[in-house]
Amino acid sequence: MRRSMLFMPGNSAGMLLNADALGADSIILDLEDAVSPAEKDSARILVRNALKHLNYSNCEIIVRINSIDSEFWKSDLQEIIPLRPHMIMPPKINSAGDVQIIAEYMKEIEEKHNIDKPTYIIPLIETALGVENAFEIAKSSDRVKAIFLGAEDLTADLRCKRTKNGDEIFYSRGRMVTAARAAGIDVYDTPFTDVEDEEGLREDALFAKSLGFTGKACISPRHVMTINEVFSPTIEEVEYAREVMDIIRVAEEQGKGAISLHGKMIDAPIVARARQTLEMAEALGGGVYNE
Amino acid sequence: MEIKNKAAAGTLESSDIYVVVEPNENGIDLHLESIVYNQFNEEIEKAVRDVLNDFNVENIKIQLKDRGAVECAIRARVETALKRAGGVNS
């Protein structure tokens, strides 16, 4: 269960130390944009040692490697894959072929180290070409369990200004969600970059949730709780989901094909959504948020 | 491993360690400053010497300014400095 993904700079010893204590469902140990070219070697070794010796037990671990058009990505994978992070996040993925190149190299490393369980991939899609190829990317490998939209690089590629209300990425968000859901995987929204604007973050996260995103990334620990809250089912949603499942049981017992709840027909999509809500509440250990 | 050049790694930020290594002809010359020197100087020095041993470094001058780094960070910064000093790109 992953609602929030928090970026942590890979070369910051202090920040890596307590990375799993900040409430995020996943932390992204970043070897790419948060690390200057002169410090790539240093960050790679530090992240490798952190994975080896720090007990990150409270959250999922994702490592963002450098892009395949850089000289660093193979060295990143050589050091990181043997430490078995949950996922690798390759940036600037433009096509299914990009993912397959990375997956093939990961397989080589896993075989060399006798690792039988594959590490998953969450491609970061942040170019116009990547957005247009989102479905093929989502379907490119069994390792791909989610896709993630990166709006900062994307808007540069689109040659438009990145704004707070995000009109310029509306199409890309919709396309990403549709592609991911068609492929049967999760989809994550771009970070909200104004660390001070708590209300703006909440609105942005609520909008992303309304489009179908599974969760959202963030660059500040201060954003984690709001994202977790927005992407968790509310008490009202859980109660409604329970009512739906109860009424469906009654309908089945009575041999009815159709049944209504509070005057509204309960059909298969509503049942599916109710089931997802309850599964998520279950995964949260019954922890839901009141709106 | 032979120390060919002077090289540095790490930072002076909290929970990190700054390491400078350079060639030396007569064994291991280690200088440690630490904000937790009185409590942990032996542990820090052991971690540093373990890494030097892992890389078969017999002659080196190594200066460390520790800001409370944990062991895995100390090991990472020393390894990075050694690789930079040995001209090994990894």
Side-chain angles (χ1 to χ4, degrees):
Chain A
M1 205 261 325
R2 189 190 312 114
R3 299 157 297 178
S4 52
M5 303 193 299
L6 173 63
F7 277 98
M8 305 297 289
N11 202 35
S12 172
M15 293 181 85
L16 293 185
L17 192 56
N18 298 313
D20 67 335
L22 299 166
D25 295 326
S26 305
I27 51 173
I28 304 166
L29 307 179
D30 189 12
L31 300 177
E32 199 217 11
D33 284 352
V35 179
S36 68
E39 294 297 327
K40 295 291 186 189
D41 57 341
S42 189
R44 189 183 301 128
I45 293 169
L46 184 65
V47 167
R48 180 204 67 197
N49 277 16
L51 292 178
K52 197 186 283 186
H53 297 288
L54 300 179
N55 180 25
Y56 289 134
S57 55
N58 291 331
C59 63
E60 180 188 61
I61 302 295
I62 301 172
V63 178
R64 178 161 77 167
I65 60 169
N66 287 282
S67 67
I68 58 168
D69 61 4
S70 76
E71 60 184 292
F72 306 114
W73 71 277
K74 284 191 171 180
S75 300
D76 292 344
L77 290 175
Q78 286 163 14
E79 293 285 358
I80 300 303
I81 290 295
L83 276 304
R84 312 281 313 276
H86 297 96
M87 294 184 116
I88 291 291
M89 177 185 286
K92 298 184 181 66
I93 293 297
N94 287 321
S95 67
D98 287 353
V99 175
Q100 285 152 0
I101 288 168
I102 292 162
E104 195 55 39
Y105 194 62
M106 287 168 67
K107 189 176 164 205
E108 267 181 45
I109 299 168
E110 285 163 354
E111 284 174 356
K112 190 175 157 193
H113 291 270
N114 296 315
I115 297 169
D116 51 8
K117 191 172 174 292
T119 301
Y120 296 139
I121 298 176
I122 173 168
L124 170 47
I125 296 178
E126 50 186 342
T127 62
L129 184 57
V131 170
E132 287 302 303
N133 288 332
F135 178 64
E136 283 74 21
I137 292 168
K139 294 285 285 179
S140 60
S141 164
D142 288 344
R143 291 175 189 259
V144 175
K145 299 298 178 193
I147 52 176
F148 168 40
L149 175 67
E152 302 306 315
D153 281 283
L154 174 64
T155 46
D157 197 32
L158 292 172
R159 300 180 200 187
C160 62
K161 194 176 170 192
R162 178 84 176 97
T163 66
K164 248 185 198 183
N165 66 7
D167 288 347
E168 70 282 0
I169 59 166
F170 181 71
Y171 166 78
S172 302
R173 279 172 152 167
R175 187 161 180 117
M176 289 282 288
V177 170
T178 308
R181 299 311 182 192
I185 63 172
D186 289 334
V187 57
Y188 289 86
D189 191 37
T190 189
F192 183 76
T193 53
D194 186 342
V195 175
E196 306 295 328
D197 185 359
E198 182 69 23
E199 199 44 47
L201 166 70
R202 182 175 295 276
E203 283 173 22
D204 197 50
L206 282 167
F207 182 64
K209 185 185 181 186
S210 77
L211 291 176
F213 279 95
T214 317
K216 188 172 177 67
C218 54
I219 55 171
S220 167
R222 289 167 59 185
H223 285 183
V224 168
M225 293 317 290
T226 300
I227 291 172
N228 284 351
E229 187 181 330
V230 167
F231 286 95
S232 299
T234 62
I235 288 172
E236 288 75 18
E237 286 168 343
V238 172
E239 283 175 356
Y240 178 71
R242 286 192 183 126
E243 282 187 284
V244 168
M245 299 314 288
D246 286 345
I247 202 90
I248 282 296
R249 243 186 318 275
V250 170
E252 282 169 2
E253 282 166 12
Q254 295 176 352
K256 289 183 181 172
I259 198 157
S260 68
L261 177 66
H262 306 310
K264 189 179 175 190
M265 288 305 295
I266 301 300
D267 54 13
I270 291 176
V271 176
R273 204 170 300 131
R275 195 168 285 127
Q276 288 162 6
T277 300
L278 292 176
E279 282 171 3
M280 190 150 191
E282 181 76 19
L284 288 166
V288 293
Y289 286 88
N290 218 341
E291 273 184 332
Chain B
M1 173 190 271
E2 184 189 347
I3 303 303
K4 293 177 181 164
N5 317 300
K6 185 172 182 177
T11 71
L12 292 171
E13 292 169 12
S14 176
S15 303
D16 205 345
I17 185 168
Y18 184 67
V19 181
V20 180
V21 299
E22 53 191 295
N24 188 40
E25 289 180 355
N26 303 307
I28 295 170
D29 183 6
L30 189 153
H31 300 268
L32 169 65
E33 290 174 28
S34 173
I35 58 169
V36 288
Y37 187 90
N38 291 336
Q39 298 93 328
F40 295 112
N41 74 84
E42 287 177 12
E43 286 84 349
I44 296 168
E45 193 169 324
K46 181 182 181 307
V48 173
R49 287 185 185 276
D50 280 351
V51 179
L52 298 182
N53 194 43
D54 289 346
F55 285 87
N56 296 315
V57 177
E58 293 173 349
N59 296 302
I60 187 172
K61 181 178 179 189
I62 180 164
Q63 298 176 73
L64 306 115
K65 291 185 179 174
D66 173 50
R67 294 290 181 267
V70 292
E71 184 178 334
C72 69
I74 295 168
R75 287 174 177 269
R77 297 318 195 185
V78 173
E79 178 179 337
T80 303
L82 291 181
K83 287 178 171 173
R84 287 176 176 177
V88 178
N89 186 19
S90 87

